[in-house]
Amino acid sequence: AQSVAQPEDQVNVAEGNPLTVKCTYSVSGNPYLFWYVQYPNRGLQFLLKYITGDNLVKGSYGFEAEFNKSQTSFHLKKPSALVSDSALYFCAVRVTGNTGKLIFGQGTTLQVKP
Amino acid sequence: DAMVIQNPRYQVTQFGKPVTLSCSQTLNHNVMYWYQQKSSQAPKLLFHYYDKDFNNEADTPDNFQSRRPNTSFCFLDIRSPGLGDAAMYLCATSGRRMGSDTQYFGPGTRLTVL
């Protein structure tokens, strides 16, 4: 069965420090992986995705993610955190087949302190 | 700007009183999805339309129905809302159902059931 795990409910970092939000996945076949961010009472905003090719994917707002096939991970990173990055982050994997269905991790709350 | 719009943003209904949530898109995408999200949990797919083809998830209660009268609009009908149906309802679209396609989300409708 396909699944996504985000092992940390919350990540706390100081503004200006690098941040990492972790995601591991389990899929059959080639994975299609996504990161979304959600601010309070808002929908999900797309940050970036991994389809194929370069293991380091660059996305919106200075975020990037590193795909690691041997560790089945897709961690979200940013070199220098901003207070405005504080939000709920979801990792998702596309289910194989032709439904287009996404399976989401349980989410990680990122708290960036000034 | 091309976008996904949901109306209303906040909806209050009474226990058992039918309610309809609306989603429209200017992206001209073929696929429209409805997700339910409770208390900052992971979004859960209810169903999706691929063009006019309706695809229900196996565990979606019969109380939830959907209509897609044209490419731009999709509605979520809750026939008899219960207290457990209080949640954020998210609409998303994608061009196709292929693995690489990104889903773009609307801002969501927060449903309160009294």
Side-chain angles (χ1 to χ4, degrees):
Chain A
Q2 287 143 329
S3 64
V4 175
Q6 295 179 241
E8 300 155 318
D9 290 336
Q10 182 157 327
V11 170
N12 299 309
V13 297
E15 187 174 31
N17 282 0
L19 69 88
T20 298
V21 182
K22 295 180 180 178
C23 172
T24 59
Y25 65 89
S26 174
V27 299
S28 54
N30 294 323
Y32 298 106
L33 298 158
F34 300 78
W35 274 103
Y36 286 86
V37 60
Q38 186 176 32
Y39 294 95
N41 288 312
R42 302 303 299 266
L44 275 65
Q45 294 180 32
F46 168 71
L47 284 177
L48 50 80
K49 66 182 177 184
Y50 174 80
I51 304 301
T52 188
D54 196 348
N55 289 342
L56 185 64
V57 179
K58 294 191 182 295
S60 305
Y61 312 119
F63 284 93
E64 57 190 28
E66 187 169 10
F67 172 69
N68 187 316
K69 188 172 183 178
S70 62
Q71 296 185 3
T72 62
S73 67
F74 188 54
H75 300 332
L76 181 70
K77 300 182 179 186
K78 188 174 183 181
S80 178
L82 300 172
V83 172
S84 58
D85 292 330
S86 299
L88 181 59
Y89 290 79
F90 288 101
C91 180
V93 65
R94 179 59 68 49
V95 171
T96 53
N98 63 353
T99 67
K101 180 177 178 177
L102 288 175
I103 293 177
F104 287 88
Q106 64 269 40
T108 298
T109 298
L110 174 66
Q111 193 75 253
V112 181
K113 303 215 166 143
Chain B
D1 285 343
M3 56 198 309
V4 182
I5 303 161
Q6 290 188 246
N7 286 305
R9 295 292 316 281
Y10 300 90
Q11 176 73 56
V12 180
T13 191
Q14 292 182 336
F15 183 93
K17 185 175 180 181
V19 65
T20 295
L21 309 182
S22 170
C23 177
S24 63
Q25 51 123 345
T26 61
L27 298 160
N28 203 31
H29 279 169
N30 290 322
V31 193
M32 296 187 77
Y33 305 83
W34 279 104
Y35 289 86
Q36 179 192 63
Q37 186 185 25
K38 294 185 176 181
S39 303
S40 297
Q41 296 176 18
K44 178 179 179 297
L45 183 64
L46 295 173
F47 28 59
H48 76 275
Y49 271 95
Y50 180 65
D51 286 334
K52 297 185 178 183
D53 182 28
F54 177 71
N55 297 268
N56 200 26
E57 292 297 299
D59 57 354
T60 298
D62 292 341
N63 198 26
F64 292 86
Q65 304 285 320
S66 187
R67 297 170 283 135
R68 189 178 187 186
N70 54 52
T71 299
S72 300
F73 283 87
C74 194
F75 300 99
L76 170 62
D77 300 309
I78 308 177
R79 293 194 295 190
S80 182
L83 298 178
D85 297 327
M88 175 77 90
Y89 290 88
L90 299 167
C91 175
T93 75
S94 67
R96 302 165 299 175
R97 293 186 298 189
M98 295 180 63
S100 59
D101 273 27
T102 300
Q103 288 187 23
Y104 295 95
F105 285 78
T109 295
R110 182 165 294 285
L111 178 68
T112 300
V113 182
L114 301 176

